[in-house]
mmCIF file of all heavy atoms in Angstrom:
data_model
loop_
_atom_site.group_PDB
_atom_site.id
_atom_site.type_symbol
_atom_site.label_atom_id
_atom_site.label_comp_id
_atom_site.label_asym_id
_atom_site.label_seq_id
_atom_site.Cartn_x
_atom_site.Cartn_y
_atom_site.Cartn_z
ATOM 1 N N MET B 428 109.034 135.959 56.012
ATOM 2 C CA MET B 428 108.999 135.006 54.886
ATOM 3 C C MET B 428 109.547 135.626 53.614
ATOM 4 O O MET B 428 109.520 134.992 52.568
ATOM 5 C CB MET B 428 107.581 134.468 54.692
ATOM 6 C CG MET B 428 106.566 135.563 54.446
ATOM 7 S SD MET B 428 105.089 134.975 53.623
ATOM 8 C CE MET B 428 105.577 135.058 51.919
ATOM 9 N N ASP B 429 110.080 136.831 53.729
ATOM 10 C CA ASP B 429 110.729 137.502 52.616
ATOM 11 C C ASP B 429 109.870 137.491 51.354
ATOM 12 O O ASP B 429 110.239 136.885 50.344
ATOM 13 C CB ASP B 429 112.092 136.842 52.339
ATOM 14 C CG ASP B 429 112.914 137.697 51.396
ATOM 15 O OD1 ASP B 429 112.747 138.930 51.423
ATOM 16 O OD2 ASP B 429 113.706 137.120 50.627
ATOM 17 N N PRO B 430 108.711 138.149 51.405
ATOM 18 C CA PRO B 430 107.807 138.112 50.265
ATOM 19 C C PRO B 430 108.299 138.989 49.116
ATOM 20 O O PRO B 430 109.097 139.908 49.337
ATOM 21 C CB PRO B 430 106.513 138.689 50.843
ATOM 22 C CG PRO B 430 106.966 139.608 51.915
ATOM 23 C CD PRO B 430 108.223 139.030 52.476
ATOM 24 N N ASP B 431 107.819 138.708 47.904
ATOM 25 C CA ASP B 431 108.114 139.585 46.771
ATOM 26 C C ASP B 431 107.010 140.613 46.622
ATOM 27 O O ASP B 431 107.246 141.721 46.173
ATOM 28 C CB ASP B 431 108.209 138.763 45.475
ATOM 29 C CG ASP B 431 109.399 137.837 45.493
ATOM 30 O OD1 ASP B 431 110.394 138.205 46.146
ATOM 31 O OD2 ASP B 431 109.331 136.759 44.877
ATOM 32 N N ILE B 432 105.812 140.182 46.964
ATOM 33 C CA ILE B 432 104.655 141.051 46.788
ATOM 34 C C ILE B 432 103.972 141.223 48.144
ATOM 35 O O ILE B 432 103.586 140.248 48.784
ATOM 36 C CB ILE B 432 103.650 140.428 45.787
ATOM 37 C CG1 ILE B 432 104.344 140.234 44.449
ATOM 38 C CG2 ILE B 432 102.403 141.287 45.656
ATOM 39 C CD1 ILE B 432 104.116 138.893 43.839
ATOM 40 N N LEU B 433 103.851 142.473 48.581
ATOM 41 C CA LEU B 433 103.194 142.736 49.860
ATOM 42 C C LEU B 433 101.922 143.529 49.642
ATOM 43 O O LEU B 433 101.945 144.586 49.020
ATOM 44 C CB LEU B 433 104.103 143.576 50.746
ATOM 45 C CG LEU B 433 104.982 142.832 51.728
ATOM 46 C CD1 LEU B 433 106.417 143.053 51.340
ATOM 47 C CD2 LEU B 433 104.730 143.339 53.121
ATOM 48 N N ILE B 434 100.819 142.995 50.139
ATOM 49 C CA ILE B 434 99.569 143.746 50.071
ATOM 50 C C ILE B 434 99.306 144.290 51.465
ATOM 51 O O ILE B 434 99.135 143.527 52.411
ATOM 52 C CB ILE B 434 98.404 142.837 49.636
ATOM 53 C CG1 ILE B 434 98.776 142.091 48.351
ATOM 54 C CG2 ILE B 434 97.143 143.647 49.461
ATOM 55 C CD1 ILE B 434 97.765 141.056 47.924
ATOM 56 N N LEU B 435 99.331 145.611 51.613
ATOM 57 C CA LEU B 435 99.131 146.227 52.923
ATOM 58 C C LEU B 435 97.760 146.879 52.935
ATOM 59 O O LEU B 435 97.514 147.831 52.207
ATOM 60 C CB LEU B 435 100.212 147.273 53.191
ATOM 61 C CG LEU B 435 101.652 146.799 53.013
ATOM 62 C CD1 LEU B 435 102.613 147.959 53.172
ATOM 63 C CD2 LEU B 435 101.969 145.713 54.016
ATOM 64 N N ASP B 436 96.862 146.333 53.752
ATOM 65 C CA ASP B 436 95.494 146.841 53.794
ATOM 66 C C ASP B 436 95.359 147.732 55.027
ATOM 67 O O ASP B 436 95.367 147.245 56.153
ATOM 68 C CB ASP B 436 94.534 145.647 53.867
ATOM 69 C CG ASP B 436 93.118 146.033 53.492
ATOM 70 O OD1 ASP B 436 92.849 147.240 53.388
ATOM 71 O OD2 ASP B 436 92.292 145.122 53.320
ATOM 72 N N GLU B 437 95.256 149.019 54.817
ATOM 73 C CA GLU B 437 95.158 150.000 55.910
ATOM 74 C C GLU B 437 96.218 149.755 56.984
ATOM 75 O O GLU B 437 95.899 149.560 58.160
ATOM 76 C CB GLU B 437 93.767 149.935 56.560
ATOM 77 C CG GLU B 437 92.610 150.093 55.606
ATOM 78 C CD GLU B 437 92.282 151.546 55.308
ATOM 79 O OE1 GLU B 437 93.013 152.450 55.780
ATOM 80 O OE2 GLU B 437 91.310 151.779 54.571
ATOM 81 N N PRO B 438 97.486 149.783 56.606
ATOM 82 C CA PRO B 438 98.514 149.413 57.589
ATOM 83 C C PRO B 438 98.661 150.408 58.736
ATOM 84 O O PRO B 438 99.269 150.085 59.735
ATOM 85 C CB PRO B 438 99.799 149.358 56.760
ATOM 86 C CG PRO B 438 99.534 150.220 55.595
ATOM 87 C CD PRO B 438 98.072 150.119 55.306
ATOM 88 N N THR B 439 98.116 151.610 58.601
ATOM 89 C CA THR B 439 98.296 152.588 59.686
ATOM 90 C C THR B 439 96.994 152.913 60.405
ATOM 91 O O THR B 439 96.930 153.884 61.130
ATOM 92 C CB THR B 439 98.895 153.893 59.146
ATOM 93 O OG1 THR B 439 97.962 154.487 58.241
ATOM 94 C CG2 THR B 439 100.196 153.661 58.430
ATOM 95 N N ARG B 440 95.976 152.087 60.200
ATOM 96 C CA ARG B 440 94.686 152.390 60.839
ATOM 97 C C ARG B 440 94.808 152.349 62.370
ATOM 98 O O ARG B 440 95.337 151.415 62.945
ATOM 99 C CB ARG B 440 93.635 151.383 60.401
ATOM 100 C CG ARG B 440 92.344 151.525 61.182
ATOM 101 C CD ARG B 440 91.264 150.640 60.648
ATOM 102 N NE ARG B 440 90.729 151.157 59.402
ATOM 103 C CZ ARG B 440 89.839 150.511 58.655
ATOM 104 N NH1 ARG B 440 89.427 149.330 59.012
ATOM 105 N NH2 ARG B 440 89.381 151.049 57.556
ATOM 106 N N GLY B 441 94.292 153.399 62.998
ATOM 107 C CA GLY B 441 94.222 153.427 64.458
ATOM 108 C C GLY B 441 95.552 153.483 65.169
ATOM 109 O O GLY B 441 95.643 153.108 66.326
ATOM 110 N N ILE B 442 96.609 153.926 64.496
ATOM 111 C CA ILE B 442 97.868 154.043 65.222
ATOM 112 C C ILE B 442 98.362 155.486 65.160
ATOM 113 O O ILE B 442 97.991 156.244 64.279
ATOM 114 C CB ILE B 442 98.943 153.043 64.727
ATOM 115 C CG1 ILE B 442 99.358 153.317 63.302
ATOM 116 C CG2 ILE B 442 98.425 151.641 64.841
ATOM 117 C CD1 ILE B 442 100.351 152.305 62.805
ATOM 118 N N ASP B 443 99.186 155.856 66.127
ATOM 119 C CA ASP B 443 99.506 157.265 66.305
ATOM 120 C C ASP B 443 100.554 157.765 65.312
ATOM 121 O O ASP B 443 101.187 156.986 64.600
ATOM 122 C CB ASP B 443 99.936 157.535 67.738
ATOM 123 C CG ASP B 443 101.167 156.742 68.085
ATOM 124 O OD1 ASP B 443 102.222 156.987 67.469
ATOM 125 O OD2 ASP B 443 101.077 155.866 68.959
ATOM 126 N N VAL B 444 100.717 159.068 65.299
ATOM 127 C CA VAL B 444 101.560 159.711 64.290
ATOM 128 C C VAL B 444 102.985 159.173 64.263
ATOM 129 O O VAL B 444 103.540 158.874 63.217
ATOM 130 C CB VAL B 444 101.596 161.233 64.540
ATOM 131 C CG1 VAL B 444 102.404 161.929 63.471
ATOM 132 C CG2 VAL B 444 100.195 161.777 64.572
ATOM 133 N N GLY B 445 103.571 159.047 65.465
ATOM 134 C CA GLY B 445 104.963 158.580 65.517
ATOM 135 C C GLY B 445 105.117 157.191 64.940
ATOM 136 O O GLY B 445 106.012 156.923 64.137
#
Side-chain angles (χ1 to χ4, degrees):
Chain B
M428 58 158 275
D429 192 30
D431 293 330
I432 300 133
L433 266 115
I434 308 173
L435 308 174
D436 198 349
E437 306 276 4
T439 64
R440 172 174 286 174
I442 65 183
D443 61 64
V444 183

